[in-house]
Amino acid sequence: MVASGGSPGGRGPGGSPGAGTRAQEALRTSAAGLLAEGKVEAVIGYGLSPAGDVVPRFVRRSQDAAGLLWNDRCTYNLVGYLTDRDLLAGLAGPEGAAGADTAQSPRFAVTVKGCDLKSLVVLLAESQVRREALTVIGLPCGGVVDQEGRLLGKCVACPEEVRNLRTEPGESPANGPPAGEPAAARRLVDLVMGDPVPGDRIAASAPLQAEPFQDVAEIEGMPRAGRRAFWDAHFSRCLRCYACRNVCPLCYCKECVFDQHNPRWVSPAPGIPSNRAFHLIRAYHLAGRCVDCGECERACPVGIPLRLINRKVAQVVKESFGFEAGTSPEARAPIVDFASGDPEEFIE
Amino acid sequence: MKVLTRKALEALLAARVEEWELIAPVEIDGKSYFHALNSGSRLGEVTDASAAPLLTVNPVKEFFFPRRQELYVQGPEGITSLDSEPQRPRLLLFARPCDARGLGVLDRVFLGEVPDASYAARREATTIVGLHCLEPDSRCFCSAVGGGPFGTEGMDMALTPLDESRFAAEALTEKGEALLAALGAAAGKAGGAPGLPDAGEAERRLVESLRAKAEAAVSRDLEIPSPEALAARFESDYWIEASRSCLACGVCSYLCPTCHCFDIVDEGYLRLRCWDTCSADTFTRTAAGENHHKHKHTRYRQRVFHKFGWFKENYGTVSCVGCGRCTRHCPVKIDIAEVVNGVGASHG
């Protein structure tokens, strides 16, 4: 089905056309300004393809900023493009590429929804992107929809401070404020497009999941053999196309463990044992890092419920370490952190 | 042209379920997939599939060219060949015209100068019952690459749904004739007169009007550049632009009915053949570490040149049947038709 409707590609971010149009106009104006003033080499945002699909759009000339789009079909998390060095070098052109890794490294603007912003926070915490080379354009969001127009699972019960990008580092009760830094240096979003949007659609969907990890609990409530059968049935369809890994904003390793030839850690041939290994190892590598942006599940062509796996790991990290990924660029994930007072009971 | 009732088809399937391996579309979590049914457990769903959404997620190629094919195992006694040929005759039910044509493309590769024995055996064992498309969607461009929603190439028998309980059936090969006779006998046992009734004037007229409507619905055009025109664009920056948003995953090739690149992999003492994709960074990486396609745009170019240039030069046809799966399932909606049409329009 082609993503087309009354307005090009979908409804406004709050479900109402008016507010969306204003935010989209603000976005086009801001992007054109940033490009015209030479503040950024390119704006990474959403656009509409000739066939009527919402697609990632890389705008390099101010006159093309009018092609930027913002509505409820803008599902993609564009943050992943920020670690594609080849892509950024291409966008910057010959001069920009020459300036890479220097003080004059090229600057880019990226549009983010609140959920996407969390993955950017993790990239900042892991020193994968240079905040000073980035203009972050926030898009207040009332929920995004799939190709059939249904609200995405990740949008269900999305909190107000996330969807309206009020998440400021250090203000998260989960991880505590870092001390002694001026607020301006910790700013995450440079520009916010339009007004905060009401959460009517999200509120309407909230009863679908009363508890934060209810979906995980449902699987865990199954007998062991049932769980095994559930996952094997899903994993048996896995093509090992790696769409889940490649779309993941946090899978940025230059050489992925699944691509190594010598030694070959996991067979690249699909099969239930190798597919199980692939999905579980990937989940481990995202432990304390995954922000549940849901891109893996959206990208999977064969409908494997990948968010369930990642959310199980997120639940363990939260319960064991009191940590939630994507809340502060200063916080280190438990898996990469070291505490000298750690009893390390498991080593004995 | 005969008239086949759904009841007669169901009766034959039920009678032969132990004798045949049935490959047919079934629904899994709201999506349709071709699936090998080795028992009668899901038989009830099968004939409903003729009314199901247009295309399955997966093409039929995996039943002829498996995603994972165990070739041999090396043991103390030497090499033991593992690839088993089908033990039973196979019935592939409700292959769409693009799916059936896709096998014709694969035949040129696997049944050419050096036939692939396992592919040949799987083809030989299979009777293909095609299903015409009444409602092609905006992604379909079969007509632009030599096919059509009522095409019969590659089918042993073609079915056109007439209404909820009947198909127009046409045998196209000896295998199709044999199946038609078996269906006739099944109709007799099910209580009707033996043999299938000929289609009357009303049915023929209905088929023609359905055909005209379906053919008119496939409106997408494709301007396939000549091999010379393609070659002239080999070094163009067009490929960087066209593949900018590409995630370099394998969705497009693994869901393509005609992509046939494979890799040879060892799992311990087991040697096997599995699918490979030119999108992947590992595709042309050599054991010494050199990579002829370091950048995703040359890999994407490889895909387009292979399908629309080199394959045509080698085999006289493009290796694209216009099913549109690559676009439907692309996580960032790269549209191959748009890319191909853009080749002629690009300068540089």
Side-chain angles (χ1 to χ4, degrees):
Chain A
M1 193 183 120
V2 178
S4 61
S7 62
R11 293 197 290 174
S16 68
T21 308
R22 280 195 296 279
Q24 183 173 272
E25 279 314 308
L27 167 64
R28 290 172 177 177
T29 308
S30 303
L34 288 168
L35 290 161
E37 292 162 30
K39 287 186 176 164
V40 297
E41 302 283 343
V43 177
I44 304 174
Y46 305 99
L48 206 62
S49 78
D53 288 310
V54 175
V55 290
R57 176 69 47 89
F58 306 89
V59 180
R60 289 194 286 173
R61 302 182 307 173
S62 60
Q63 61 266 41
D64 296 335
L68 285 168
L69 191 76
W70 169 232
N71 63 35
D72 65 354
R73 290 189 182 267
C74 296
T75 51
Y76 312 134
N77 181 352
L78 303 170
V79 167
Y81 288 118
L82 298 175
T83 54
D84 184 339
R85 300 173 75 83
D86 220 19
L87 171 99
L88 298 184
L91 284 175
E95 288 165 36
D101 290 327
T102 69
Q104 290 83 41
S105 65
R107 295 179 54 92
F108 298 95
V110 63
T111 59
V112 295
K113 303 182 292 291
C115 48
D116 308 333
L117 183 65
K118 288 188 183 179
S119 54
L120 178 60
V121 167
V122 178
L123 289 182
L124 288 167
E126 297 178 356
S127 306
Q128 294 304 311
V129 292
R130 290 153 50 93
R131 180 65 187 86
E132 60 276 21
L134 205 59
T135 301
V136 180
I137 303 176
L139 304 168
C141 175
V144 285
V145 297
D146 64 15
Q147 289 188 65
E148 277 77 43
R150 292 172 302 217
L151 195 69
L152 293 191
K154 68 166 174 179
C155 303
V156 172
C158 178
E160 200 274 340
E161 68 271 21
V162 172
R163 62 189 162 77
N164 281 323
L165 303 114
R166 295 194 208 277
T167 318
E168 284 298 308
E171 291 176 8
S172 161
N175 301 324
E181 270 193 71
R186 291 186 271 115
R187 192 178 59 203
L188 276 178
V189 184
D190 295 300
L191 305 161
V192 177
M193 299 298 110
D195 301 321
V197 293
D200 306 356
R201 281 168 112 178
I202 289 168
S205 72
L208 292 176
Q209 187 162 330
E211 299 296 322
F213 290 104
Q214 187 182 313
D215 47 353
V216 174
E218 277 167 23
I219 302 298
E220 287 187 315
M222 294 162 74
R224 193 186 183 86
R227 284 205 305 272
R228 178 72 171 247
F230 174 87
W231 285 111
D232 281 357
H234 284 300
F235 291 158
S236 71
R237 292 196 306 278
C238 175
L239 302 165
R240 300 290 286 284
C241 68
Y242 298 140
C244 52
R245 176 194 69 179
N246 293 16
V247 80
C248 177
L250 302 178
C251 269
Y252 53 72
C253 288
K254 265 189 176 170
E255 170 125 45
C256 174
V257 61
F258 303 110
D259 287 342
Q260 283 177 341
H261 276 160
N262 191 13
R264 181 95 85 178
W265 301 102
V266 177
S267 169
I272 290 183
S274 63
N275 291 353
R276 262 189 219 137
F278 165 64
H279 288 290
L280 295 184
I281 291 171
R282 207 181 92 80
Y284 271 92
H285 287 192
L286 287 167
R289 304 176 61 234
C290 173
V291 296
D292 194 24
C293 76
E295 283 288 84
C296 48
E297 192 169 294
R298 179 187 68 77
C300 179
V302 295
I304 302 174
L306 293 165
R307 285 183 59 232
L308 267 179
I309 307 176
N310 293 327
R311 286 168 54 70
K312 170 63 196 168
V313 179
Q315 183 190 32
V316 170
V317 170
K318 190 175 182 183
E319 287 171 0
S320 306
F321 302 98
F323 184 86
E324 258 181 88
T327 47
S328 163
E330 280 81 19
R332 290 172 67 85
I335 203 161
V336 295
D337 205 4
F338 177 80
S340 54
D342 192 332
E344 291 178 345
E345 283 152 349
F346 64 95
I347 288 177
E348 296 166 306
Chain B
M1 192 184 286
K2 303 281 185 183
V3 174
L4 168 67
T5 61
R6 188 176 291 250
K7 270 193 178 146
L9 179 59
E10 281 167 2
L12 183 70
L13 295 179
R16 299 280 181 94
V17 67
E18 300 299 328
E19 184 186 331
W20 281 347
E21 181 184 353
L22 177 64
I23 300 162
V26 295
E27 198 190 299
I28 302 170
D29 291 344
K31 291 182 179 184
S32 177
Y33 298 85
F34 273 108
H35 199 72
L37 302 164
N38 294 310
S39 70
S41 62
R42 300 192 73 169
L43 213 54
E45 302 168 38
V46 166
T47 50
D48 293 339
S50 65
L54 192 61
L55 275 182
T56 50
V57 172
N58 57 339
V60 298
K61 73 175 171 188
E62 68 186 83
F63 303 101
F64 302 90
F65 166 47
R67 359 179 186 141
R68 172 197 179 88
Q69 186 171 4
E70 300 184 352
L71 302 176
Y72 60 81
V73 65
Q74 224 169 353
E77 306 301 316
I79 285 171
T80 313
S81 180
L82 289 176
D83 186 35
S84 56
E85 294 174 359
Q87 300 298 306
R88 295 184 286 175
R90 308 201 300 176
L91 184 68
L92 169 52
L93 196 60
F94 300 146
R96 297 289 179 171
C98 50
D99 285 325
R101 272 195 88 217
L103 288 175
V105 172
L106 294 181
D107 287 352
R108 288 168 161 89
V109 178
F110 291 109
L111 301 179
E113 242 173 280
V114 186
D116 182 285
S118 80
Y119 179 90
R122 287 172 164 86
R123 283 288 270 140
E124 182 53 38
T126 311
T127 300
I128 298 172
V129 178
L131 181 68
H132 288 149
C133 301
L134 301 188
E135 293 180 326
D137 72 12
S138 63
R139 302 281 186 217
C140 297
F141 58 98
C142 51
S143 308
V145 285
F150 270 58
T152 56
E153 194 184 327
M155 298 175 184
D156 294 304
M157 180 193 283
L159 298 179
T160 310
L162 293 171
D163 50 44
E164 283 183 3
S165 61
R166 300 178 310 152
F167 302 96
E170 198 156 13
L172 301 155
T173 63
E174 276 179 28
K175 281 182 188 170
E177 294 287 358
L179 182 65
L180 204 61
L183 285 164
K189 276 185 199 156
L196 300 178
D198 283 320
E201 190 53 32
E203 283 92 9
R204 285 175 184 277
R205 247 184 282 150
L206 178 57
V207 168
E208 277 320 301
S209 74
L210 291 170
R211 170 203 283 269
K213 192 175 156 230
E215 286 177 350
V218 186
S219 57
R220 197 118 206 238
D221 225 359
L222 201 66
E223 284 175 48
I224 300 170
S226 66
E228 298 75 35
L230 254 185
R233 293 278 175 268
F234 190 79
E235 299 288 356
S236 167
D237 283 349
Y238 176 68
W239 304 108
I240 298 178
E241 298 286 339
S243 67
R244 187 153 268 151
S245 64
C246 176
L247 302 171
C249 72
V251 168
C252 50
S253 17
Y254 291 167
L255 297 185
C256 175
T258 68
C259 273
H260 51 267
C261 286
F262 59 80
D263 199 3
I264 300 291
V265 178
D266 291 341
E267 289 181 358
Y269 293 103
L270 180 67
R271 171 148 292 189
L272 46 89
R273 173 164 86 173
C274 63
W275 294 353
D276 201 356
T277 167
C278 58
S279 315
D281 171 65
T282 50
F283 185 63
T284 54
R285 199 202 294 164
T286 64
E290 185 51 52
N291 192 345
H292 312 298
H293 287 299
K294 284 190 195 75
H295 304 291
K296 70 184 180 189
H297 72 270
T298 75
R299 302 197 294 268
Y300 194 81
R301 179 184 67 194
Q302 162 73 27
R303 178 173 170 77
V304 174
F305 270 68
H306 190 190
K307 288 199 164 300
F308 297 95
W310 301 321
F311 197 90
K312 195 174 167 190
E313 285 179 62
N314 291 335
Y315 297 103
T317 179
V318 295
S319 62
C320 170
V321 291
C323 70
R325 282 187 178 91
C326 52
T327 310
R328 283 189 189 88
H329 299 286
C330 175
V332 291
K333 288 283 179 284
I334 295 177
D335 183 342
I336 194 146
E338 193 188 316
V339 172
V340 169
N341 285 336
V343 173
S346 77
H347 296 286

